[in-house]
Amino acid sequence: MNTRHPVAATLAVAGYIIMIVPILFVVATAFTSSETLSFPPQGFSMRWFGEALSYQPFVGSLVTSLEIALLATLLALAVGVPVTLAIHRGSLPGKGLVENLFLSPLIVPELVVGLALFQQLIVTFRVDNWPVLLIGHTALLLPYAVRVTGATLAGTDASLEEAARGLGASPMRTFWTITMPMLRPGIFSAALLSFITSFNNVPLSLLLQSRKTQTLPVTMLDYVQQSYDPMVAAISTIILAVTIVIAVIAERTVGFAKIFGGINS
């Protein structure tokens, strides 16, 4: 902590407290033996973790969330990486316009995107909710794929690719042997951010869901409106633990400096 700026240090500590203390309350509540949400916990019990893991709506919506998040991340990268290469390495006309187009989901409210998809695809063309939900999540993740991989590519040396081409390497060989290794941290970063964003999404998923297709955050929101037991605290604690594990793996394999360092460049 920087003692030369006591006001900034105090605000930083206050910010950490505001963010962390509510999470600690949720985690503590998950281990209560009480029938209702209460703090401090009344006794210690792992009961609610078992209840959460055996509650079918949570399990089914968890599978849906994982499927949507994984497929949307892959589709966003499959589209975003070529677009990034075209913007930063190609002779694409109107590069700025194309980049702004792919970054526009960050500006347009999710409710607007969801309403447009619902009106055009579900109401007009009678498309099933699951593929529309996948399309919506993919659209929301495209800015991460383009922006993060673009920041990584902008920080690489293009002369290495030119040297490979000058030595006779084909464009495909140059991509796999030179460009892809340089892009790998950016792709990993974009995949991590995209997956977390998709998995935790509520506004878009709430508009495009159906009785058969619900994501875990929406199911948790519905459950909280109907019940007041600690089951939601238990499933939230499980998600938090998994997120921490993923963060540790990301730090050990790539490092947060490489994951987040180029996003603001």
Side-chain angles (χ1 to χ4, degrees), residues 227-251:
S227 303
Y228 199 66
D229 58 48
M231 193 186 299
V232 169
I235 193 67
S236 300
T237 302
I238 294 173
I239 295 174
L240 176 63
V242 173
T243 302
I244 292 175
V245 171
I246 293 175
V248 171
I249 294 174
E251 168 61 21

Side-chain angles (χ1 to χ4, degrees), residues 58 176 242:
F58 283 170
W176 286 111
V242 173

Side-chain angles (χ1 to χ4, degrees), residues 67-87:
E67 290 175 346
I68 293 292
L70 180 60
L71 290 175
T73 298
L74 293 176
L75 289 174
L77 289 174
V79 175
V81 172
V83 169
T84 299
L85 291 172
I87 292 173

Side-chain angles (χ1 to χ4, degrees), residues 98-114:
V98 173
E99 185 174 14
N100 290 333
L101 176 64
F102 278 89
L103 295 180
S104 61
L106 291 176
I107 303 173
V108 180
E110 293 182 23
L111 291 176
V112 175
V113 176

Side-chain angles (χ1 to χ4, degrees), residues 165 169-176 179:
R165 295 292 303 274
S170 65
M172 187 60 67
R173 184 175 179 83
T174 301
F175 173 77
W176 286 111
T179 310

Side-chain angles (χ1 to χ4, degrees), residues 9-236:
T10 302
L11 291 176
V13 171
Y16 283 122
I17 293 175
I18 292 173
M19 290 188 295
I20 294 176
V21 170
I23 296 176
L24 296 179
F25 284 169
V26 172
V27 173
T29 305
F31 291 94
T32 185
S33 58
S34 173
E35 295 291 331
T36 59
L37 285 169
S38 60
F39 190 88
Q42 300 176 8
F44 178 86
S45 175
M46 299 289 291
R47 166 194 171 188
W48 295 110
F49 291 93
E51 295 278 354
L53 293 175
S54 61
Y55 185 59
Q56 185 55 42
F58 283 170
V59 175
S61 60
L62 173 61
V63 173
T64 300
S65 290
L66 291 175
E67 290 175 346
I68 293 292
L70 180 60
L71 290 175
T73 298
L74 293 176
L75 289 174
L77 289 174
V79 175
V81 172
V83 169
T84 299
L85 291 172
I87 292 173
H88 291 272
R89 292 292 191 264
S91 55
L92 184 69
K95 293 181 180 180
L97 179 62
V98 173
E99 185 174 14
N100 290 333
L101 176 64
F102 278 89
L103 295 180
S104 61
L106 291 176
I107 303 173
V108 180
E110 293 182 23
L111 291 176
V112 175
V113 176
L115 184 60
L117 291 173
F118 179 83
Q119 181 66 35
Q120 294 300 319
L121 297 182
I122 296 178
V123 176
T124 304
F125 295 102
R126 305 293 182 181
V127 181
D128 189 65
N129 293 78
W130 200 97
V132 176
L133 190 60
L134 178 61
I135 292 171
H137 277 238
T138 302
L140 291 181
L141 302 185
L142 283 174
Y144 297 98
V146 173
R147 185 71 180 93
V148 178
T149 57
T152 301
L153 193 62
T156 60
D157 190 357
S159 63
L160 297 176
E161 299 164 85
E162 296 173 0
R165 295 292 303 274
L167 293 173
S170 65
M172 187 60 67
R173 184 175 179 83
T174 301
F175 173 77
W176 286 111
T177 58
I178 304 297
T179 310
M180 180 57 76
M182 294 190 296
L183 266 179
R184 192 174 292 122
I187 293 176
F188 185 89
S189 308
L192 181 62
L193 291 172
S194 297
F195 184 88
I196 294 174
T197 300
S198 175
F199 187 87
N200 292 320
N201 180 270
V202 172
L204 185 69
S205 302
L206 192 61
L207 277 173
L208 301 179
Q209 70 171 356
S210 67
R211 291 183 178 180
K212 296 181 180 179
T213 304
Q214 279 193 334
T215 60
L216 182 58
V218 174
T219 303
M220 293 170 63
L221 180 63
D222 292 341
Y223 188 85
V224 169
Q225 294 174 342
Q226 301 172 5
S227 303
Y228 199 66
D229 58 48
M231 193 186 299
V232 169
I235 193 67
S236 300

